[in-house]
Amino acid sequence: MTKAQEVRQRRIERRQHDLTVVAEGIFDWILDLIDLDTKKGYLDSTKICLFKGEKKLRNIYGSEYKVYSIYDLSEPLKKFNKIEIFSKLKEVIENEDGYEVDLNRSAVFWDSTGILLEVFVK
């Protein structure tokens, strides 16, 4: 392998590591939300959305889509695009036994578009 390829490989590995750290942080936030929902007796899926043009993840629930928690993505979005973050988040969650994810990259809700990630605990 040439020096150029070695440097490129290290760059790719570092970027993947940093992306995984971001996804794990978001998953930790989601786990807190799932636990809170469980304590409240809400056993449905947990929905997380990122509206188009925004930098904050919102936890939404119920048919009225009430928001009760927000996760700021301002810093991660400086380094990664939203599709990279959500794809890695889906992978991190699904690697955990008993969790499934539905990822909709073009969801429409509240008369807006965005990305909707729905987490199911089995």
Side-chain angles (χ1 to χ4, degrees), residues 81-122:
N81 71 53
K82 58 189 175 184
I83 299 302
E84 286 177 305
I85 293 171
F86 274 89
S87 296
K88 180 55 85 172
L89 178 57
K90 181 179 188 308
E91 178 185 317
V92 165
I93 294 171
E94 289 184 335
N95 280 339
E96 191 65 42
D97 189 36
Y99 291 84
E100 291 181 15
V101 174
D102 182 25
L103 179 59
N104 183 344
R105 294 181 179 143
S106 56
V108 177
F109 44 92
W110 287 348
D111 298 327
S112 297
T113 59
I115 300 173
L116 179 68
L117 181 112
E118 192 168 4
V119 181
F120 301 90
V121 181
K122 301 294 176 184

Side-chain angles (χ1 to χ4, degrees), residues 62-74:
S63 59
E64 297 175 16
Y65 292 113
K66 297 177 184 175
V67 173
Y68 68 92
S69 187
I70 295 174
Y71 188 96
D72 190 358
L73 283 179
S74 297

Side-chain angles (χ1 to χ4, degrees), residues 9-21:
Q9 183 63 33
R10 279 193 295 277
R11 172 70 57 104
I12 290 169
E13 288 171 1
R14 178 58 191 246
R15 185 170 168 75
Q16 284 304 307
H17 171 268
D18 291 354
L19 182 58
T20 300
V21 168

Side-chain angles (χ1 to χ4, degrees), residues 17-33:
H17 171 268
D18 291 354
L19 182 58
T20 300
V21 168
V22 167
E24 288 172 345
I26 297 168
F27 185 36
D28 189 55
W29 172 69
I30 291 171
L31 289 172
D32 289 342
L33 296 173

Side-chain angles (χ1 to χ4, degrees), residues 37-86:
D37 284 347
T38 302
K39 290 175 184 174
K40 291 180 176 181
Y42 181 75
L43 303 176
D44 221 355
S45 63
T46 300
K47 297 175 184 82
I48 306 300
C49 68
L50 179 65
F51 290 108
K52 184 176 180 178
E54 289 196 5
K55 295 181 179 181
K56 294 184 179 179
L57 289 176
R58 299 174 191 280
N59 168 244
I60 55 176
Y61 69 99
S63 59
E64 297 175 16
Y65 292 113
K66 297 177 184 175
V67 173
Y68 68 92
S69 187
I70 295 174
Y71 188 96
D72 190 358
L73 283 179
S74 297
E75 287 303 313
L77 285 171
K78 290 178 182 177
K79 191 171 185 177
F80 307 104
N81 71 53
K82 58 189 175 184
I83 299 302
E84 286 177 305
I85 293 171
F86 274 89

